[in-house]
Amino acid sequence: MTTIDEDTTPATVLSVEDLTVHLPTEHGLLRAVDGVSFQVRAGRTLGIVGESGSGKSMSAKTLLRLNPGRFRESGRVRLHGTDGSGDLDVMELDRDGPMIRAVRGRRIAMIFQEPMTAFSPLHTIGEQIMEAILLHRTSDRAEAREICLEWMLRVGIGDAARRIDQYPHQFSGGMRQRAMIAMALSCEPEVLIADEPTTALDVTIQAQVLELMQDLQAETGMAIVLITHDLAVVAGTCDEVAVMYLGRIVEQAPVRELFADPQHPYTRGLLRSIPRLGMRRDERLHAIEGTVPQAIDLPPMCSFRGRCTDRIEGVCETAEPRLLELTEAHHVRCFLHDPEAPAPEPTATGAARPQPSRHDAPAVPEESPA
Ligand SMILES: Nc1ncnc2c1ncn2[C@@H]1O[C@H](COP(=O)(O)OP(=O)(O)OP(=O)(O)O)[C@@H](O)[C@H]1O
Ligand SMILES: [Mg+2]
């Protein structure tokens, strides 16, 4: 017997399991990404948020195997081939081989945070967008040019017929960003990774680009991973949200639940930093105290404890908190919710551990089952 849930829940397109990227530096080993796991379903959008340096872009680039060979990578990045294109683990592919080139653009496309990364200065914008279309969609050059022009127009490049033969340096930053979005969408990928896709654009074109991504998602069932600092964009476009801090996901939940009932002190801090309608003019926005430390030689403790207003002395520095399952869809990495957390040290006033948790949650296995 099938349940209603099985009938209506779309298939998982991408599963990332225990993804780790460590970089040897002169100061020690930088744990840029440290055991990240998530899944994205067809037609759904996962938002990834977190302060600068938390490992969002590094995680994204690793999904396309774009890191230099000296970075130490591990984990699994599985494409499930729900459209019949076949199941594979991207992490098993040679980073310069033909297999990964067949994945890039067609199965996973990326909108980069820095638009210059995507284009070579030596070829026209049109040649570069058409290269991917010719590789993945059609071998007919005239048809590829038509598809390219259509997408340039769709992303708001007005005089596309002239622009198509120009070089990247003839495009302004905002125009290059639009061209990169056209390149990413033109091959109708199974998964789109959009790393701050609208930061360089003005507000009206931002809304247009987000709408375009959502239109294509509705047409093709593309799964989207959206990396952004903008929590308003997350609220308007994402189904689920993962909050990253120092290379780890510290909380993950369906978008409404995360905004209505955040459980990690870091998530609560991020949400308190958004301006609200109806705020008094003299009301100050909350800022999370302190800065993100470098993820080098971190001791095995909660890495947020130094900035955390709910820190429990004698607990948060004893170990790294486990990822806990509050509900099937809501996970958090914090001792406040851990029934097996060590007992806090007694204080001079005899104060016991604070009781902010409505959940005493079981741990999520660090490696999700296949
Ligand atoms: N090419 C590189 N070489 C060395 N360290 C790097 C490199 N790229 C990123 N890092 C480091 O890896 C960590 C994660 O960086 P990442 O770019 O993923 O952050 P981010 O979350 O995308 O931040 P932002 O919001 O500023 O884009 C940071 O400590 C950063 O300094
Ligand atoms: Mg980034």
Side-chain angles (χ1 to χ4, degrees):
M1 196 179 78
T2 53
T3 63
I4 292 174
D5 209 32
E6 279 166 355
D7 284 338
T8 54
T9 309
T12 301
V13 177
L14 171 75
S15 313
V16 173
E17 292 164 24
D18 205 17
L19 190 70
T20 296
V21 185
H22 292 174
L23 291 67
T25 72
E26 57 187 86
H27 306 293
L29 196 64
L30 173 71
R31 296 170 189 270
V33 180
D34 208 18
V36 162
S37 301
F38 59 79
Q39 300 189 334
V40 204
R41 294 180 183 275
R44 299 273 170 92
T45 301
L46 169 74
I48 302 185
V49 301
E51 281 164 293
S52 195
S54 54
K56 305 180 299 294
S57 296
M58 187 75 84
S59 303
K61 286 180 199 161
T62 312
L63 305 188
L64 280 173
R65 306 299 310 279
L66 292 172
N67 292 329
R70 66 189 174 86
F71 291 13
R72 297 184 199 154
E73 302 169 339
S74 65
R76 303 214 280 173
V77 175
R78 290 164 60 209
L79 282 164
H80 295 283
T82 43
D83 61 353
S85 47
D87 200 340
L88 62 83
D89 182 350
V90 169
M91 298 303 282
E92 286 176 357
L93 307 182
D94 173 359
R95 73 178 77 237
D96 300 313
M99 296 276 283
I100 190 71
R101 282 200 289 275
V103 168
R104 288 182 193 138
R106 178 71 187 111
R107 300 197 63 181
I108 310 180
M110 180 147 170
I111 299 172
F112 290 91
Q113 191 169 8
E114 322 86 34
M116 278 317 273
T117 322
F119 293 109
S120 146
L122 304 176
H123 301 278
T124 64
I125 292 279
E127 280 165 4
Q128 297 184 62
I129 299 178
M130 280 167 58
E131 189 184 335
I133 300 170
L134 285 165
L135 187 65
H136 300 302
R137 289 193 60 186
T138 173
S139 52
D140 181 321
R141 284 196 71 82
E143 192 187 348
R145 194 172 166 93
E146 280 309 307
I147 296 173
C148 175
L149 281 169
E150 176 199 323
W151 276 101
M152 288 175 76
L153 285 170
R154 282 184 82 174
V155 298
I157 302 176
D159 47 354
R162 183 173 62 89
R163 291 290 204 159
I164 190 170
D165 297 316
Q166 288 186 335
Y167 288 84
H169 73 266
Q170 294 172 286
F171 276 55
S172 66
M175 278 294 166
R176 267 198 300 264
Q177 184 85 353
R178 293 181 212 199
M180 181 170 55
I181 293 165
M183 180 152 76
L185 297 183
S186 63
C187 288
E188 301 185 356
E190 282 169 59
V191 181
L192 174 71
I193 302 167
D195 191 355
E196 301 281 3
T198 59
T199 318
L201 306 175
D202 62 47
V203 179
T204 44
I205 190 84
Q206 264 186 30
Q208 200 179 321
V209 162
L210 291 170
E211 211 170 291
L212 195 63
M213 282 165 45
Q214 287 177 308
D215 287 351
L216 188 66
Q217 183 175 52
E219 267 171 50
T220 67
M222 166 174 84
I224 300 178
V225 178
L226 178 65
I227 298 171
T228 179
H229 280 95
D230 191 336
L231 290 162
V233 168
V234 169
T237 56
C238 296
D239 300 288
E240 263 201 286
V241 193
V243 180
M244 281 190 75
Y245 189 75
L246 274 186
R248 298 192 147 220
I249 292 179
V250 295
E251 184 161 9
Q252 182 164 2
V255 69
R256 280 169 191 274
E257 195 169 322
L258 190 103
F259 277 80
D261 195 19
Q263 294 298 317
H264 198 287
Y266 179 60
T267 315
R268 292 190 200 137
L270 283 182
L271 293 176
R272 281 201 300 267
S273 64
I274 324 176
R276 297 182 319 275
L277 273 179
M279 263 178 109
R280 289 195 324 270
R281 295 184 81 164
D282 59 348
E283 215 175 313
R284 294 190 57 155
L285 279 176
H286 170 87
I288 302 173
E289 296 280 319
T291 49
V292 187
Q294 275 279 10
I296 294 179
D297 294 333
L298 291 174
M301 306 174 176
C302 170
S303 54
F304 186 58
R305 76 194 179 289
R307 304 172 69 193
C308 183
T309 46
D310 295 326
R311 181 177 58 238
I312 316 166
E313 294 302 335
V315 175
C316 299
E317 60 276 32
T318 53
E320 284 180 44
R322 309 177 294 163
L323 192 66
L324 301 160
E325 195 171 279
L326 303 181
T327 65
E328 200 185 335
H330 194 162
H331 298 173
V332 68
R333 193 183 284 282
C334 178
F335 284 119
L336 291 172
H337 301 276
D338 192 342
E340 290 172 24
E345 282 166 6
T347 62
T349 56
R353 171 184 172 194
Q355 301 288 314
S357 176
R358 59 185 172 84
H359 312 275
D360 268 341
V364 180
E366 289 287 327
E367 270 192 59
S368 22

